[in-house]
Amino acid sequence: MEDVTRVVKDIVRTVVPYLEDARVKVNGACDQVEGWQVIAYTFGFTLILISLYNFIFDEEKSLKERIKKRFFKFVKKLPIIKDQIAKEIDKNAKGVEEGFQKGVGKMKYMHKLPDKGWTEKKIMDELDRYHSLVKVDWTKGTVSGAVYSGDDKLTDILVEAYRKFAWTNPLHPDLFPDIRKMEAEVVRMCCNMFNGDDKSCGSVTSGGTESILLACLAYRNRARENGIKFPEMIVPVTVHAAFDKAAEFFHMKITHIPVDPVTCKVDIRKMKRAINGSTCMLVGSAPQFPHGSIDPIEEIAALGRKYSIPVHTDCCLGGFLVPFMEKAGFSVPKVDFRVPGVTSISADTHKYGFAPKGSSVILYSDKEYRKYQFFVQPDWP
């Protein structure tokens, strides 16, 4: 103990002269500076340090992304570059406009309401004219990603069903218990289809994008409640762009993980290395849109269990195909609630569920996750 004390004293005796010398020099430099200037310089320097710190250590975007963004933002403001970009944008915008206009032909656009209301015949005749603009025969099933059925019998059923409930309003379930019951049944049927237990639950949404947004919102809110300022989602690079939209909307960080060049499935080892204290969700697709591969959901879910992170299966594309593959005699990996660790699933009823656009479901393994997707404003007058 005495040796330690002696060492400390020696260090103090060595450092003190330098500190005293620094004090004298600083005071000498400030002889001609007034007090208000010292305060102003200190305040300004502190602001600069804080701004620099926030730029370097911003949690929402990586330093590399922000430097790249700032660089291109600066370059685009240079006069010669700015003019060239404007010309290219105008040229491309004109090309897009001309391309769309070809589909309309010489048919004029309406710019204002008609002076006199149209008759039913006039409306139907005009709708027939609009309908005649479609030149692609999508009923043959060759426009993947746009239309998933064109069966006449199914169309008749959809039209008749819509006619019966065209004026209902799901915002008022007390007035319309019929559609509230339908939503509850659709959610429960989908939960059972994905092998959810009695705790599983969900909501009907307006499409796959909203289902994905709600899942991301729920996990962001859950993470914030646990003290994470900028929650981060870790996703395959092939994941649907709605996850990038969610990150932009909800101020989340999104980290894209490369896929195996042969299988096109997400690289599990790289996903594991990306996990950190701010990770609020892991994502896998079943299947993903670019190549049709199903990510290794069981391995992703194992990571979720190990690190206590929710795992979302994006089944928007295959939602009403994948659950029936085993019964149809095909060998497919497990991607649903049978996999321990899978906490939510998005699936589009308007794809191979054959509901009309737009309709989807977001499902959760437990209401403890779903509660975070809801917004409540109790103080509205």
Side-chain angles (χ1 to χ4, degrees):
M1 186 65 182
E2 292 179 359
D3 292 340
V4 173
T5 303
R6 187 172 61 255
V7 170
V8 171
K9 288 181 178 179
D10 289 341
I11 293 174
V12 170
R13 281 196 296 268
T14 303
V15 172
V16 165
Y18 290 103
L19 293 176
E20 180 64 19
D21 186 48
R23 184 186 68 81
V24 172
K25 287 183 178 180
V26 170
N27 287 337
C30 293
D31 280 345
Q32 306 301 319
V33 181
E34 296 183 23
W36 71 268
Q37 290 177 302
V38 174
I39 295 173
Y41 293 156
T42 303
F43 181 73
F45 185 66
T46 302
L47 285 181
I48 292 173
L49 285 180
I50 292 174
S51 299
L52 185 62
Y53 177 86
N54 289 337
F55 177 75
I56 295 175
F57 297 103
D58 183 278
E59 297 179 66
E60 189 172 352
K61 300 287 184 182
S62 68
L63 181 61
K64 180 181 177 181
E65 289 177 342
R66 283 178 283 120
I67 290 176
K68 184 170 66 173
K69 186 176 181 179
R70 292 284 181 91
F71 173 75
F72 282 109
K73 186 177 181 180
F74 168 76
V75 169
K76 287 191 293 185
K77 286 185 177 181
L78 297 175
I80 186 171
I81 303 296
K82 185 177 181 180
D83 292 343
Q84 187 62 33
I85 290 176
K87 289 179 182 178
E88 288 297 320
I89 290 177
D90 289 342
K91 184 175 73 174
N92 283 284
K94 186 177 180 181
V96 171
E97 186 177 339
E98 290 175 351
F100 283 135
Q101 188 59 38
K102 287 180 180 178
V104 178
K106 296 181 179 180
M107 191 173 175
K108 294 182 178 181
Y109 285 87
M110 296 180 63
H111 290 203
K112 61 180 183 178
L113 291 171
D115 294 330
K116 186 178 179 181
W118 289 358
T119 63
E120 180 182 348
K121 185 178 185 306
K122 171 68 173 175
I123 294 172
M124 292 302 151
D125 289 344
E126 191 70 6
L127 290 178
D128 287 338
R129 289 181 64 213
Y130 278 66
H131 195 260
S132 68
L133 296 175
V134 179
K135 304 302 180 185
V136 177
D137 187 5
W138 50 265
T139 60
K140 294 181 179 179
T142 56
V143 284
S144 176
V147 182
Y148 294 85
S149 177
D151 182 79
D152 290 337
K153 182 62 176 177
L154 176 59
T155 301
D156 292 340
I157 295 173
L158 293 178
V159 171
E160 179 60 20
Y162 191 83
R163 187 189 67 79
K164 290 179 181 294
F165 299 95
W167 293 103
T168 56
N169 187 342
L171 287 176
H172 298 276
D174 54 334
L175 295 178
F176 301 102
D178 46 359
I179 55 173
R180 187 209 61 79
K181 181 174 183 292
M182 279 191 274
E183 177 177 12
E185 290 171 340
V186 168
V187 169
R188 179 47 50 198
M189 285 189 282
C190 290
C191 284
N192 289 333
M193 187 176 73
F194 285 104
N195 295 290
D197 58 21
D198 292 341
K199 294 181 179 179
S200 61
C201 56
S203 303
V204 171
T205 71
S206 61
T209 293
E210 187 185 4
S211 291
I212 290 170
L213 289 175
L214 287 176
C216 294
L217 178 65
Y219 296 137
R220 186 209 69 171
N221 290 344
R222 178 177 180 271
R224 283 189 175 179
E225 188 175 278
N226 292 330
I228 300 175
K229 184 178 180 182
F230 286 112
E232 176 183 1
M233 65 176 90
I234 298 178
V235 305
V237 70
T238 50
V239 82
H240 195 282
F243 289 92
D244 294 89
K245 180 182 285 189
E248 188 75 19
F249 279 8
F250 305 139
H251 295 285
M252 301 172 70
K253 184 176 180 180
I254 183 168
T255 298
H256 295 91
I257 307 300
V259 298
D260 182 276
V262 177
T263 65
C264 295
K265 299 177 181 180
V266 69
D267 189 318
I268 287 293
R269 289 181 299 176
K270 292 182 179 179
M271 178 172 273
K272 180 180 179 180
R273 287 200 294 268
I275 293 174
N276 58 79
S278 296
T279 304
C280 70
M281 64 185 296
L282 305 177
V283 179
S285 304
Q288 39 99 318
F289 283 74
H291 315 100
S293 296
I294 295 179
D295 287 315
I297 302 298
E298 292 183 80
E299 295 180 60
I300 297 174
L303 290 178
R305 293 200 313 278
K306 181 177 180 180
Y307 296 101
S308 300
I309 300 171
V311 173
H312 179 79
T313 298
D314 178 26
C315 210
C316 284
L317 182 59
F320 286 79
L321 290 177
V322 173
F324 303 102
M325 288 294 97
E326 291 181 42
K327 292 181 180 179
F330 295 94
S331 177
V332 295
K334 291 183 175 65
V335 301
D336 55 24
F337 291 129
R338 289 175 296 177
V339 180
V342 171
T343 54
S344 59
I345 299 172
S346 51
D348 286 358
T349 43
H350 67 205
K351 288 189 172 69
Y352 298 106
F354 297 138
K357 286 261 185 182
S359 170
S360 178
V361 291
I362 173 63
L363 310 174
Y364 297 95
S365 60
D366 193 288
K367 64 181 180 180
E368 282 301 307
Y369 295 108
R370 185 185 61 176
K371 72 179 183 181
Y372 290 107
Q373 80 172 28
F374 296 127
F375 174 79
V376 179
Q377 170 52 289
D379 300 323
W380 184 44

